[in-house]
Amino acid sequence: MEKQKLAATLQKRFYNDSYSNVILSPAACPFNAVDIPGEDLYPEIVEQASSAIVLVDGKDRVVLFNPAAGQLWGRSKDEVVGASISQLMPPMKDGHTPGQSEIDHLVGHNVELPIERPNNTRVWAEISVSRIQAMGKPMRLIIAKNITLSKVHKAFRYQVLRAMAQTDSLLEIMTLLCQEIQRIAPEISATVTQIDGEGRLRSLVAPDFPQHTAALIDGIEIGPKASSQAIAAFRGEPVLVRDIEHDPGWSVGRRETLALGYKACWSAPIKTRDGRTIGILTFYYRVCRRPNNLHARLAEIAVSLCVLAMERAASFSRIHHLAFFDDLTGLPNRSLLHIQASQAIAHAARNNERLAVLFIDIDRFKKVNDSLGHPAGDTLLRTVASRLREATREVDILGRYSGDEFIVVLTQCDSVHASELAGRLLVALSAPCRIGEVTLMPAASIGISLFPDNGRDMDALIHEADTAMYQAKQKGRGCFSFFSGQLNQIAKERLTLETALRDALSGNELEIYYQPQINIETHQLHGIEALVRWNSSQLGEIAPGRFIPLAEESNLISPLSQWVLNEACRQLAQWRQHDLAIPSVSVNLSPTDFHNLNLKLPQYLEAILRSHGLQPSDLLIEITEGVLMDSNPDTMRTLHEIHALGVRLSIDDFGTGYSSLGYLRHLPVHELKLDQSFVRDLNRDRATRALTNAVMHIGDSMELTVIAEGVEHPTQRNLLKAQGYQVVQGFLFSPPLPPTALERWLDENLSFTHWE
Ligand code: C2E
Ligand code: MG
Ligand code: MG
């Protein structure tokens, strides 16, 4: 009878409940009365229901515990019935066991709760509690369903995705992933292994493993042996090792893994959408076993999350690489260099340490680029980068600053060590470097600044090392130089000069002086040389010997040359209009003008001459021997095009360079200008006289005009004349003069007989 009453109560309860499909009420059933089960069937239904059904009396005692409940809680009916409900409920957050009032709180709600089973496994249940009257007494009816799998799915996904939204650190995300797996299934110890670009294993996270055991896997090649991870990656499918101790394939870290108490493991590959295996998820077990359904489901979700997190980390790392590393050399770029160096400086400041900044610039790199092309330049830069990498320590900071400039920051380093390393770097860099068919002998100049002596931040230290590097270049390249206060002054002056020169080019501070070249045989004017003058409003008069090299270094030479060419041609055209018989004007150009392909020098000359109504024969271009020795094919083409145009070429400062006479024969030059150093020594030195004589004969034999420069004394003129020199230029006749002064001079000296 008791049973019947209870059954009636349950029926009533089920009819109103969402689980009502389990049991049908006779009253509500639409079917024929014959089909309606009788009340005596209810206990049977309770017995067979797939939902767990638990009835609790007013004293918190379990009075009914059906077989489904037994399965869910992993306990037998005999164990539970009569005992307190608290043994079935998870402990409260504060640790105390839940009682009547906590259970009452659940009434009317569907809650998800973890259930700890006696065998140490945990399941999740969806539980609903309702108040009922049974056997005339108030009772609590608990209906529960095992939702472990769907719960696992949702909770796990949520946790990991939330972590991914909160942090970019793959390590943190993967650690959380493993911990979540272990929280859900404490019988598992999870690890994630990555596969690097060379197909080798790299332990990523292994929360339950000591660092050194986890690291045993590092560097193992993917293959059919070694470890379950290597095999899973090799096969591209999960691998179960039921018994680590006796597994024939296991060779790495078996002893250590067994020592930690692990007896079995299961490795599942982490594959990208395009099928690449990028990692391995492994579950370790303390007993020889295989994964159950829950483990398989966990692995399935975890692997999909791993793919997401690892691919995301890979694209972060690609973006990071693009933002912080130089593509060509793989070295840190300027931004990263700055960050790393600033950290090193802060560290040095905290620990009272010294530090050195080396600014390294490849000598004549532009020439390599210009003459052998950019791919060759790139190869040289890569070679330099790898040599620097080899010659520096792990703790040093190395980066590409810009173009052909590299920086090394040497931590815990004083001037003695810095100079030792700079010397070693210079040697390392100067080893022959084969690029295609050509063998280069690279060289570099190094400037060194020291912390804290020369500066307290990276900007200052770089600036000073750069200044010192310029000093090294001036010392003759291929050497190093330390920064000094004096250098700072020079650098400041240089900067002021450069800024002023920029202004001079856009304003009108530049002028051209003209120096006559006289034919001492005919007493006629042979031509004039245009020589630029700069009278800076800010800095006063500055000699071309000072500002021309600066213009060359600071990319100002091209606008300067164009200005001089245009102005000289304009002036000559104007003199012609005023019937002043000036045969031609010589303009000095820099080597850079010849390989500046943007300028298109031949076309530029042609256009300028045309715009001023001049003939190509009205213009001579003075070049130094360096231009002729330039192996850049563009330079030679430019020279030939200028020659074809009809503009004559003159070799300035002849005798100071290294031009081979054989080579000279094939060049389209028209004139040689004997360097003034020979003229200066003429009276004093017989050897010089022999040389000037030889130059005269070379010119003669190649049918070139030879001009002697820097003639200051009548004796020099006489000696030159005796050697056959016809054209001379120098203070003896006239210094370079401004246009109006030259006009006056020409007027007064039309006949040059009084110099005889
Ligand atoms: P350079 O082309 O060899 O010019 C001759 C230099 O010798 C000029 O110096 C001239 O003033 C000087 N000079 C002339 N006669 C005598 C003499 O009898 N004795 C002495 N001691 N010197 C004499 P300047 O004008 O100072 O020019 C120096 C160098 O600057 C030039 O050497 C040339 O290489 C360069 N330069 C001058 N103007 C330009 C220009 O417009 N463009 C380029 N690229 N370079 C220029
Ligand atoms: Mg000259
Ligand atoms: Mg000269």
Side-chain angles (χ1 to χ4, degrees):
M1 186 58 209
E2 286 282 22
K3 259 193 177 174
Q4 286 222 335
K5 270 193 193 163
L6 175 61
T9 321
L10 289 174
Q11 183 268 339
K12 197 168 148 223
R13 162 68 197 144
F14 285 151
Y15 184 69
N16 298 323
D17 191 86
S18 55
Y19 296 91
S20 56
N21 54 349
V22 179
I23 300 169
L24 289 171
S25 138
C29 181
F31 301 110
N32 188 315
V34 181
D35 302 326
I36 298 168
E39 284 191 358
D40 52 345
L41 260 181
Y42 294 147
E44 217 172 294
I45 291 168
V46 169
E47 284 295 294
Q48 289 177 29
S50 64
S51 295
I53 299 167
V54 181
L55 198 62
V56 182
D57 69 9
K59 291 184 178 153
D60 285 355
R61 281 178 316 210
V62 177
V63 293
L64 188 145
F65 193 70
N66 77 342
Q71 252 181 17
L72 181 63
W73 269 274
R75 288 163 190 249
S76 71
K77 184 173 150 191
D78 296 344
E79 231 182 293
V80 175
V81 171
S84 164
I85 180 65
S86 60
Q87 60 172 324
L88 297 182
M89 303 304 265
M92 307 297 293
K93 276 192 188 133
D94 57 9
H96 86 267
T97 43
Q100 180 85 39
S101 66
E102 281 80 20
I103 294 172
D104 275 351
H105 263 110
L106 304 177
V107 171
H109 303 288
N110 279 357
V111 289
E112 293 176 355
L113 291 176
I115 292 176
E116 306 291 343
R117 288 167 158 174
N119 64 356
N120 252 347
T121 58
R122 169 188 280 185
V123 288
W124 281 83
E126 186 185 63
I127 292 181
S128 73
V129 181
S130 34
R131 285 193 192 96
I132 57 169
Q133 282 291 325
M135 295 172 288
K137 291 181 190 144
M139 300 236 182
R140 305 282 175 273
L141 174 66
I142 300 172
I143 296 170
K145 227 170 100 180
N146 189 337
I147 53 155
T148 310
L149 288 188
S150 62
K151 172 72 183 167
V152 160
H153 187 173
K154 268 197 289 184
F156 186 39
R157 231 166 218 277
Y158 172 75
Q159 290 292 354
V160 180
L161 289 174
R162 197 173 64 155
M164 277 164 76
Q166 284 169 350
T167 172
D168 294 342
S169 156
L170 181 64
L171 222 60
E172 273 180 44
I173 296 166
M174 292 289 108
T175 307
L176 179 113
L177 180 127
C178 289
Q179 286 167 345
E180 275 297 296
I181 292 173
Q182 294 173 189
R183 201 174 60 80
I184 296 162
E187 66 279 17
I188 292 175
S189 279
T191 67
V192 181
T193 310
Q194 245 181 333
I195 294 167
D196 69 14
E198 289 159 13
R200 290 173 189 277
L201 302 180
R202 300 271 161 223
S203 165
L204 185 60
V205 288
D208 284 357
F209 284 69
Q211 171 70 29
H212 62 274
T213 312
L216 287 172
I217 214 170
D218 285 347
I220 295 179
E221 255 177 68
I222 290 173
K225 281 192 163 177
S227 76
S228 64
Q229 289 89 346
I231 306 168
F234 178 71
R235 294 194 197 148
E237 57 186 43
V239 166
L240 173 68
V241 178
R242 281 190 73 138
D243 181 3
I244 294 175
E245 190 175 0
H246 301 105
D247 188 82
W250 196 295
S251 63
V252 177
R254 189 200 305 259
R255 197 167 39 84
E256 293 79 356
T257 312
L258 289 170
L260 291 171
Y262 297 114
K263 295 207 160 53
C265 79
W266 183 57
S267 289
I270 301 166
K271 286 186 180 181
T272 58
R273 257 166 300 168
D274 57 7
R276 270 180 314 116
T277 304
I278 53 171
I280 306 290
L281 172 73
T282 304
F283 292 170
Y284 287 87
Y285 299 106
R286 295 183 178 277
V287 289
C288 293
R289 60 166 293 171
R290 53 170 49 252
N292 62 20
N293 282 350
L294 171 67
H295 301 168
R297 182 80 182 117
L298 267 176
E300 189 188 319
I301 302 160
V303 160
S304 69
L305 290 168
C306 284
V307 174
L308 202 64
M310 287 164 90
E311 283 197 317
R312 195 177 75 129
S315 42
F316 276 163
S317 123
R318 269 195 298 278
I319 293 167
H320 179 269
H321 205 274
L322 284 178
F324 288 113
F325 287 86
D326 168 46
D327 232 15
L328 183 72
T329 59
L331 292 182
N333 64 11
R334 190 191 275 238
S335 319
L336 184 56
L337 191 69
H338 223 279
I339 296 169
Q340 292 179 336
S342 301
Q343 285 168 351
I345 291 170
H347 183 272
R350 272 198 307 277
N351 298 298
N352 236 349
E353 288 170 4
R354 298 165 71 83
L355 169 154
V357 174
L358 272 61
F359 196 107
I360 304 159
D361 185 285
I362 306 174
D363 292 339
R364 300 194 175 84
F365 176 71
K366 191 172 180 320
K367 200 157 181 185
V368 174
N369 246 351
D370 287 349
S371 52
L372 300 174
H374 285 266
D378 287 353
T379 310
L380 179 60
L381 287 173
R382 273 195 293 265
T383 309
V384 167
S386 77
R387 288 179 182 179
L388 289 175
R389 213 183 269 125
E390 276 165 30
T392 47
R393 303 168 299 176
E394 278 278 302
V395 289
D396 298 329
I397 296 162
L398 165 65
R400 183 172 173 207
Y401 190 62
S402 70
D404 62 338
E405 295 165 345
F406 296 84
I407 282 187
V408 177
V409 178
L410 303 170
T411 49
Q412 296 182 10
C413 177
D414 58 15
S415 57
V416 178
H417 286 110
S419 56
E420 271 169 21
L421 187 89
R424 274 213 309 280
L425 288 182
L426 289 176
V427 173
L429 292 179
S430 64
C433 164
R434 185 137 187 96
I435 298 179
E437 296 296 294
V438 188
T439 302
L440 292 179
M441 304 296 282
S445 302
I446 303 180
I448 307 168
S449 62
L450 298 168
F451 169 86
D453 317 42
N454 304 143
R456 301 198 66 89
D457 64 50
M458 193 53 187
D459 284 332
L461 289 164
I462 289 185
H463 178 262
E464 287 153 2
D466 184 16
T467 308
M469 188 276 295
Y470 262 95
Q471 161 85 356
K473 287 242 187 253
Q474 271 159 16
K475 277 203 312 205
R477 297 167 194 261
C479 58
F480 65 86
S481 182
F482 276 92
F483 175 79
S484 73
Q486 197 189 351
L487 278 184
N488 205 12
Q489 192 51 35
I490 296 170
K492 273 195 196 137
E493 279 172 22
R494 227 184 88 94
L495 194 67
T496 318
L497 201 65
E498 192 182 313
T499 317
L501 181 58
R502 246 172 243 283
D503 294 345
L505 273 165
S506 47
N508 49 7
E509 290 184 355
L510 295 179
E511 277 183 277
I512 300 184
Y513 278 28
Y514 298 89
Q515 188 175 33
Q517 299 165 332
I518 294 110
N519 187 319
I520 46 178
E521 287 287 330
T522 62
H523 311 298
Q524 298 292 310
L525 181 71
H526 172 80
I528 52 174
E529 179 176 4
L531 293 157
V532 69
R533 292 289 175 265
W534 176 24
N535 191 357
S536 162
S537 55
Q538 190 192 340
L539 307 165
E541 255 179 48
I542 299 156
R546 227 180 124 199
F547 70 85
I548 300 273
L550 183 73
E552 275 167 352
E553 280 165 23
S554 46
N555 285 331
L556 291 172
I557 196 67
S558 185
L560 180 89
S561 299
Q562 291 174 46
W563 182 84
V564 174
L565 275 168
N566 189 51
E567 177 55 20
C569 289
R570 188 202 60 76
Q571 184 62 66
L572 183 65
Q574 187 183 323
W575 278 325
R576 293 275 172 82
Q577 274 172 6
H578 295 118
D579 294 329
L580 227 67
I582 295 176
S584 59
V585 64
S586 297
V587 171
N588 295 279
L589 288 185
S590 283
T592 344
D593 294 321
F594 288 82
H595 32 74
N596 178 357
L597 296 181
N598 295 335
L599 178 60
K600 294 198 174 72
L601 190 56
Q603 289 85 336
Y604 185 78
L605 293 178
E606 195 178 9
I608 277 218
L609 288 165
R610 198 175 330 110
S611 74
H612 294 294
L614 295 177
Q615 296 304 311
S617 58
D618 293 331
L619 182 65
L620 264 101
I621 298 296
E622 291 194 13
I623 50 177
T624 50
E625 284 172 271
V627 176
L628 303 177
M629 298 314 290
D630 193 337
S631 55
N632 187 332
D634 296 325
T635 305
M636 276 305 126
R637 209 180 44 239
T638 309
L639 286 174
H640 282 281
E641 281 176 21
I642 293 175
H643 173 71
L645 190 68
V647 171
R648 287 167 292 164
L649 291 163
S650 169
I651 304 183
D652 204 356
D653 305 340
F654 186 73
T656 53
Y658 301 97
S659 35
S660 111
L661 296 177
Y663 186 60
L664 199 62
R665 208 153 48 95
H666 301 291
L667 288 170
V669 289
H670 179 87
E671 183 180 276
L672 299 181
K673 291 186 80 175
L674 176 71
D675 188 65
Q676 32 182 295
S677 57
F678 296 103
V679 177
R680 196 172 47 234
D681 296 341
L682 260 182
N683 335 3
R684 298 193 284 265
D685 186 11
R686 270 185 57 199
T688 308
R689 284 199 292 277
L691 275 171
T692 53
N693 201 25
V695 172
M696 186 66 235
H697 280 105
I698 292 165
D700 239 8
S701 64
M702 294 193 331
E703 295 177 359
L704 304 175
T705 309
V706 185
I707 299 186
E709 278 193 283
V711 181
E712 293 180 353
H713 298 288
T715 39
Q716 291 167 337
R717 180 206 51 204
N718 296 341
L719 280 166
L720 289 164
K721 194 175 176 191
Q723 288 187 341
Y725 283 84
Q726 293 184 344
V727 187
V728 289
Q729 177 182 348
F731 294 166
L732 177 62
F733 309 94
S734 164
L737 296 169
T740 43
L742 180 79
E743 287 165 23
R744 237 184 351 263
W745 186 90
L746 288 173
D747 191 36
E748 288 165 10
N749 300 281
L750 217 50
S751 160
F752 305 101
T753 43
H754 62 278
W755 287 314
E756 286 295 334

